[in-house]
């Protein structure tokens, strides 16, 4: 019969971190992964490049954590973004920092990140079993005793760390197993919802704009007049609606809509006040002279947006630019400052980068990630009700909470051995 001091369920970012830190602390560690390889979700992060953390300072990091940031203070303090970067570079993985302090492997290969963690796990003595799906976490008298696999095999252990992920990208194996384990242990689970996810929108023009990236624009998401999110940066039009950094970040706050209709207001010229924009439009009209009004809009917009913006502004684009009346100029300025789209939904868990919701952190020790209900049961990573903006923050949460759980589990079994 296989046995271990510590069993980790899930070989993603949190599971790899937990297994390494538990093994390096002296525990006999068994890592169970139901997929055919470890780190399957890591391979697709950052479009295959793996934005593995963010090189920001501590305050900026926590400003980017959307839910329950205080819960992470201890774990992040003991294994921070700089600790992760130092560990990987010491083991030969060259890193680079890009715009927004996003950290990537210099090779631009997510597989190199997984390989670095796998190598460290092997060196620490972690045993890995693939195609090993856990059906149940076993416990007696309020303490963990091991796990039962779907095959029926029982594996004894004195500590179990659930690092099973959430529901995002279910093709990678994130199917909500950890929520079930938590509920069976008596934990409250905040209903999961997709986050960092693109939006479907009502307007057909997005299909015409598909592939168009807008830079230096502002986005306001509101629900019946209440502001949900406001930001400045980049977004992308798609065949179904909108995506890109601004939209993904806005999706973190959709829960505040509470079922109300969500509207997006895009300011295409945020650097200009309404008066400055009106003056700019007038100058463009005068400069275009006898050319069609379409030429004026062409100076202010990407070509694919000209017809739609003209129609929204009620402008006959074939008329002479110099003869554009003040009312049309005002209408054009209004549309440029408030290009409105109506959200009909999100792209769901299949396209969500992370899951919002999860195991209620009030029932988890923030120092050790141990359950307050079942001794020896730990949770780490996306399965917890903690999530953040895009930019490497969510993977850092996985590395930090995984390390906290791994070290704590090893210390617990070590204490039991000596008593």
């Amino acid at each position: 019969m296989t046995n271990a001091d510590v069993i980790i369920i899930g070989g993603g970012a949190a599971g790899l971190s937990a297994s390494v830190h538990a093994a390096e602390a002296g525990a006999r560690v068994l890592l169970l992964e139901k997929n055919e390889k470890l780190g399957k979700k890591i391979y697709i992060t950052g479009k295959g490049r793996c934005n593995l953390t963010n090189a920001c300072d501590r305050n900026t990091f926590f400003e980017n954590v959307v839910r329950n940031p205080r819960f992470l203070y201890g774990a992040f303090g003991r294994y921070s973004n700089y600790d992760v970067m130092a560990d990987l570079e010491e083991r030969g993985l060259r890193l680079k920092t890009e715009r927004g302090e996003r950290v990537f492997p210099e090779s631009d290969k997510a597989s190199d990140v997984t390989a670095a963690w796998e190598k460290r796990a092997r060196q620490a003595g972690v045993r890995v079993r693939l195609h090993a799906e856990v059906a149940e976490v076993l416990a007696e008298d309020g303490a963990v005793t091991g796990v039962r696999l779907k095959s029926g095999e029982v594996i004894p252990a004195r500590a179990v760390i659930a690092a099973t992920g959430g529901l995002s990208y279910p093709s990678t194996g994130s199917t909500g197993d950890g929520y079930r384990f938590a509920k069976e242990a008596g934990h409250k689970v905040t209903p999961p919802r997709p986050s960092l996810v693109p939006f479907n929108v009502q307007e057909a023009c997005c299909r015409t704009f598909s592939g168009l990236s807008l830079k230096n624009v502002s986005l306001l998401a509101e629900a019946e007049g209440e502001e949900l999110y406001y930001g400045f940066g980049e977004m992308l039009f798609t065949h179904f609606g909108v995506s890109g950094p601004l939209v993904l970040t806005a999706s973190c706050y959709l829960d505040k809509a509470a079922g109300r209709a969500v509207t997006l207001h895009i300011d295409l010229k945020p650097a200009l006040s309404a008066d400055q924009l009106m003056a700019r439009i007038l100058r463009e009209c005068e400069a275009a002279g006898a050319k069609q009004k379409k030429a004026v809009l062409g100076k202010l917009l990407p070509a694919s947006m000209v017809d739609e913006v003209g129609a929204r502004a009620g402008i006959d684009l074939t008329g002479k630019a110099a003869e554009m009346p003040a009312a049309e100029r005002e209408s054009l300025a209004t549309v440029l400052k408030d290009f409105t789209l109506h959200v009909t939904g999100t792209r769901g868990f299949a396209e969500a980068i992370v899951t919002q919701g999860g195991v209620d952190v009030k029932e988890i020790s923030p120092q050790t990630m141990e359950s307050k209900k079942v001794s020896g049961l730990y949770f780490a990573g996306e399965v917890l009700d903690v999530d953040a903006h895009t930019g490497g923050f969510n993977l850092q949460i996985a590395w930090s909470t995984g390390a906290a759980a791994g070290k704590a589990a090893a210390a617990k079994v070590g204490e039991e051995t000596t008593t």
Side-chain angles (χ1 to χ4, degrees):
M1 178 184 292
T2 303
N3 63 1
D5 295 325
V6 180
I7 288 176
I8 288 95
I9 309 172
L16 282 166
S17 180
S19 66
V20 162
H21 286 93
E24 290 179 349
R28 296 177 302 160
V29 177
L30 176 62
L31 176 57
L32 302 175
E33 169 55 56
K34 66 181 179 181
N35 286 314
E36 73 283 0
K37 62 182 179 182
L38 298 176
K40 198 166 182 180
K41 190 172 180 181
I42 295 174
Y43 282 95
I44 62 174
T45 61
K47 297 180 180 178
R49 297 172 61 218
C50 190
N51 177 193
L52 60 99
T53 190
N54 193 286
C56 63
D57 59 43
R58 181 182 184 279
N59 288 341
T60 302
F61 177 83
F62 284 106
E63 286 171 2
N64 280 278
V65 179
V66 178
R67 268 158 197 80
N68 299 311
R70 292 177 63 85
F71 175 79
L72 295 171
Y73 285 178
F76 181 80
R78 291 190 299 277
Y79 195 59
S80 72
N81 46 350
Y82 290 101
D83 295 325
V84 171
M85 290 186 280
D87 274 355
L88 291 171
E89 289 185 317
E90 283 175 13
R91 288 163 176 79
L93 183 65
R94 292 178 176 272
L95 304 177
K96 61 181 178 179
T97 303
E98 298 185 357
R99 183 174 50 82
E101 299 299 305
R102 289 167 163 81
V103 179
F104 294 87
E106 198 173 82
S107 64
D108 282 332
K109 293 180 180 178
S111 57
D112 289 348
V113 177
T114 305
W117 279 99
E118 284 191 78
K119 181 179 179 181
R120 186 176 173 187
R122 286 196 303 273
Q123 291 173 338
V126 175
R127 290 175 293 152
V128 176
R129 283 183 61 178
L130 303 176
H131 302 289
E133 185 170 353
V134 175
E136 182 184 6
V137 175
L138 304 175
E140 290 182 10
D141 300 322
V144 158
T145 60
V147 301
R148 177 180 287 109
L149 301 185
K150 199 170 183 180
S151 64
E153 179 185 356
V154 172
I155 307 176
R158 289 181 286 174
V160 172
I161 301 173
T164 52
L167 287 172
S168 57
Y169 294 128
S171 61
T172 64
S174 297
T175 52
D177 296 341
Y179 304 142
R180 177 167 54 81
F181 300 150
K183 289 177 180 177
E184 289 171 351
H187 280 277
K188 178 183 176 182
V189 175
T190 303
R193 66 175 71 217
S195 189
L196 295 181
V197 63
F199 292 157
N200 292 317
V201 303
Q202 178 180 312
E203 286 75 10
C205 62
C206 290
R207 187 177 295 274
T208 304
F209 303 159
S210 183
L212 173 64
S213 178
L214 297 179
K215 298 181 179 181
N216 302 318
V217 299
S218 69
L219 176 70
L220 168 65
E222 55 94 3
E224 297 178 7
E226 179 189 349
E227 179 178 320
L228 305 177
Y229 168 78
Y230 176 82
F232 175 85
E234 299 180 25
M235 60 176 291
L236 173 71
F237 287 106
T238 69
H239 67 282
F240 54 77
V242 287
S243 186
L246 276 177
V247 172
L248 296 182
T249 302
S251 74
C252 296
Y253 303 94
L254 278 191
D255 62 312
K256 295 195 296 183
R260 292 171 294 169
V262 175
T263 305
L264 305 179
H265 302 273
I266 305 165
D267 186 343
L268 297 164
K269 299 295 178 184
L272 300 177
S273 68
D275 289 342
Q276 290 171 329
L277 181 55
M278 282 292 292
R280 166 80 186 279
I281 293 170
L282 181 58
R283 289 197 304 272
E284 294 292 353
C285 287
E286 291 171 344
K291 292 181 180 177
Q292 291 185 347
K293 297 173 187 177
K294 193 168 189 173
V296 173
L297 275 69
K299 291 287 187 179
L300 299 167
L301 291 161
S304 60
M305 294 190 74
V306 168
D307 288 344
E308 176 68 19
V309 169
R312 290 192 181 203
I315 299 172
D316 176 5
L317 296 178
T318 62
K320 290 182 180 180
E323 296 176 0
M324 186 184 293
E328 287 189 357
R329 296 197 302 271
E330 290 177 6
S331 182
L332 174 57
T334 298
V335 176
L336 291 173
K337 295 294 286 181
D338 185 9
F339 188 86
T340 303
L341 299 171
H342 298 87
V343 175
T344 58
T346 74
R347 299 296 286 176
F349 286 112
E351 295 184 32
I353 295 174
V354 297
T355 303
Q356 189 180 99
V359 180
D360 189 337
V361 297
K362 293 184 182 69
E363 300 174 347
I364 304 296
S365 165
Q367 299 300 317
T368 65
M369 302 296 133
E370 186 176 15
S371 164
K372 295 178 180 179
K373 295 180 174 291
V374 178
S375 177
L377 176 61
Y378 301 77
F379 294 90
E382 196 178 348
V383 70
L384 294 164
D385 184 16
V386 185
D387 63 280
H389 295 157
T390 184
F393 303 104
N394 288 288
L395 270 179
Q396 181 59 49
I397 290 171
W399 309 130
S400 294
T401 56
K407 291 174 183 176
K412 188 179 189 72
V413 299
E415 291 170 2
E416 291 174 355
T417 301
T418 56
T419 57

